[in-house]
PDB file of all heavy atoms in Angstrom:
ATOM      1  N   TYR A  97     -24.846  31.995 -16.791  1.00 75.00           N
ATOM      2  CA  TYR A  97     -25.010  30.723 -16.338  1.00 75.00           C
ATOM      3  C   TYR A  97     -24.178  29.697 -17.068  1.00 75.00           C
ATOM      4  O   TYR A  97     -24.033  29.647 -18.157  1.00 75.00           O
ATOM      5  CB  TYR A  97     -26.453  30.278 -16.519  1.00 75.00           C
ATOM      6  CG  TYR A  97     -26.696  28.798 -16.083  1.00 75.00           C
ATOM      7  CD1 TYR A  97     -26.819  28.480 -14.825  1.00 75.00           C
ATOM      8  CD2 TYR A  97     -26.965  27.884 -17.055  1.00 75.00           C
ATOM      9  CE1 TYR A  97     -27.134  27.148 -14.421  1.00 75.00           C
ATOM     10  CE2 TYR A  97     -27.161  26.570 -16.745  1.00 75.00           C
ATOM     11  CZ  TYR A  97     -27.135  26.222 -15.338  1.00 75.00           C
ATOM     12  OH  TYR A  97     -27.474  24.862 -15.011  1.00 75.00           O
ATOM     13  N   SER A 103     -16.604  16.150 -15.475  1.00 93.00           N
ATOM     14  CA  SER A 103     -15.190  16.137 -15.772  1.00 93.00           C
ATOM     15  C   SER A 103     -14.851  14.606 -16.282  1.00 93.00           C
ATOM     16  O   SER A 103     -15.440  13.625 -15.874  1.00 93.00           O
ATOM     17  CB  SER A 103     -14.452  16.253 -14.574  1.00 93.00           C
ATOM     18  OG  SER A 103     -14.533  17.695 -14.197  1.00 93.00           O
ATOM     19  N   GLU A 209     -37.837  36.582 -22.201  1.00 76.00           N
ATOM     20  CA  GLU A 209     -37.973  36.625 -23.692  1.00 76.00           C
ATOM     21  C   GLU A 209     -37.575  37.948 -24.129  1.00 76.00           C
ATOM     22  O   GLU A 209     -37.059  38.088 -25.255  1.00 76.00           O
ATOM     23  CB  GLU A 209     -39.498  36.471 -24.057  1.00 76.00           C
ATOM     24  CG  GLU A 209     -40.031  34.937 -23.872  1.00 76.00           C
ATOM     25  CD  GLU A 209     -39.737  34.290 -25.239  1.00 76.00           C
ATOM     26  OE1 GLU A 209     -39.326  34.858 -26.171  1.00 76.00           O
ATOM     27  OE2 GLU A 209     -39.914  32.988 -25.185  1.00 76.00           O
ATOM     28  N   ARG A 210     -37.772  38.927 -23.184  1.00 77.00           N
ATOM     29  CA  ARG A 210     -37.274  40.348 -23.667  1.00 77.00           C
ATOM     30  C   ARG A 210     -35.737  40.519 -23.563  1.00 77.00           C
ATOM     31  O   ARG A 210     -35.179  41.269 -24.236  1.00 77.00           O
ATOM     32  CB  ARG A 210     -37.923  41.426 -22.663  1.00 77.00           C
ATOM     33  CG  ARG A 210     -39.379  41.630 -22.955  1.00 77.00           C
ATOM     34  CD  ARG A 210     -39.947  42.900 -22.353  1.00 77.00           C
ATOM     35  NE  ARG A 210     -39.438  43.213 -21.028  1.00 77.00           N
ATOM     36  CZ  ARG A 210     -40.231  42.954 -19.909  1.00 77.00           C
ATOM     37  NH1 ARG A 210     -41.421  42.267 -20.163  1.00 77.00           N
ATOM     38  NH2 ARG A 210     -39.819  43.133 -18.758  1.00 77.00           N
ATOM     39  N   MET A 256     -36.947  10.190 -29.646  1.00 96.00           N
ATOM     40  CA  MET A 256     -36.910   9.443 -28.529  1.00 96.00           C
ATOM     41  C   MET A 256     -36.453  10.323 -27.384  1.00 96.00           C
ATOM     42  O   MET A 256     -36.916  10.294 -26.225  1.00 96.00           O
ATOM     43  CB  MET A 256     -35.940   8.212 -28.658  1.00 96.00           C
ATOM     44  CG  MET A 256     -35.853   7.315 -27.352  1.00 96.00           C
ATOM     45  SD  MET A 256     -37.438   6.480 -27.039  1.00 96.00           S
ATOM     46  CE  MET A 256     -38.095   7.402 -25.544  1.00 96.00           C
ATOM     47  N   ALA A 521      24.979   2.441  -5.838  1.00 97.00           N
ATOM     48  CA  ALA A 521      25.140   3.543  -6.711  1.00 97.00           C
ATOM     49  C   ALA A 521      25.890   4.707  -6.016  1.00 97.00           C
ATOM     50  O   ALA A 521      26.841   5.274  -6.436  1.00 97.00           O
ATOM     51  CB  ALA A 521      23.727   4.095  -7.156  1.00 97.00           C
ATOM     52  N   VAL A 569      25.826  -7.220  -5.319  1.00 97.00           N
ATOM     53  CA  VAL A 569      24.404  -6.846  -5.734  1.00 97.00           C
ATOM     54  C   VAL A 569      23.791  -8.054  -6.409  1.00 97.00           C
ATOM     55  O   VAL A 569      22.572  -8.320  -6.019  1.00 97.00           O
ATOM     56  CB  VAL A 569      24.476  -5.692  -6.864  1.00 97.00           C
ATOM     57  CG1 VAL A 569      23.038  -5.379  -7.387  1.00 97.00           C
ATOM     58  CG2 VAL A 569      25.170  -4.553  -6.339  1.00 97.00           C
ATOM     59  N   TYR A 571      23.923 -11.220  -6.006  1.00 95.00           N
ATOM     60  CA  TYR A 571      23.528 -12.253  -5.097  1.00 95.00           C
ATOM     61  C   TYR A 571      23.111 -11.707  -3.849  1.00 95.00           C
ATOM     62  O   TYR A 571      22.697 -12.392  -2.746  1.00 95.00           O
ATOM     63  CB  TYR A 571      24.628 -13.150  -4.826  1.00 95.00           C
ATOM     64  CG  TYR A 571      25.094 -14.009  -5.923  1.00 95.00           C
ATOM     65  CD1 TYR A 571      26.200 -13.687  -6.751  1.00 95.00           C
ATOM     66  CD2 TYR A 571      24.303 -15.209  -6.261  1.00 95.00           C
ATOM     67  CE1 TYR A 571      26.429 -14.385  -7.818  1.00 95.00           C
ATOM     68  CE2 TYR A 571      24.639 -15.956  -7.521  1.00 95.00           C
ATOM     69  CZ  TYR A 571      25.830 -15.487  -8.145  1.00 95.00           C
ATOM     70  OH  TYR A 571      26.073 -16.224  -9.279  1.00 95.00           O
ATOM     71  N   ALA A 625      14.684   4.582 -12.123  1.00 98.00           N
ATOM     72  CA  ALA A 625      14.658   5.242 -13.562  1.00 98.00           C
ATOM     73  C   ALA A 625      15.936   5.849 -13.847  1.00 98.00           C
ATOM     74  O   ALA A 625      16.323   5.749 -14.945  1.00 98.00           O
ATOM     75  CB  ALA A 625      13.551   6.255 -13.542  1.00 98.00           C
ATOM     76  N   ILE A 682      22.875  11.086 -10.307  1.00 97.00           N
ATOM     77  CA  ILE A 682      24.039  10.363 -10.344  1.00 97.00           C
ATOM     78  C   ILE A 682      24.578  10.529 -11.718  1.00 97.00           C
ATOM     79  O   ILE A 682      23.889  11.011 -12.729  1.00 97.00           O
ATOM     80  CB  ILE A 682      23.834   8.792 -10.083  1.00 97.00           C
ATOM     81  CG1 ILE A 682      22.681   8.298 -11.082  1.00 97.00           C
ATOM     82  CG2 ILE A 682      23.458   8.596  -8.637  1.00 97.00           C
ATOM     83  CD1 ILE A 682      22.556   6.768 -10.957  1.00 97.00           C
TER      84      ILE A 682
END
Side-chain angles (χ1 to χ4, degrees):
Y97 177 72
S103 290
E209 288 275 351
R210 289 202 308 270
M256 184 65 255
V569 181
Y571 292 99
I682 55 176

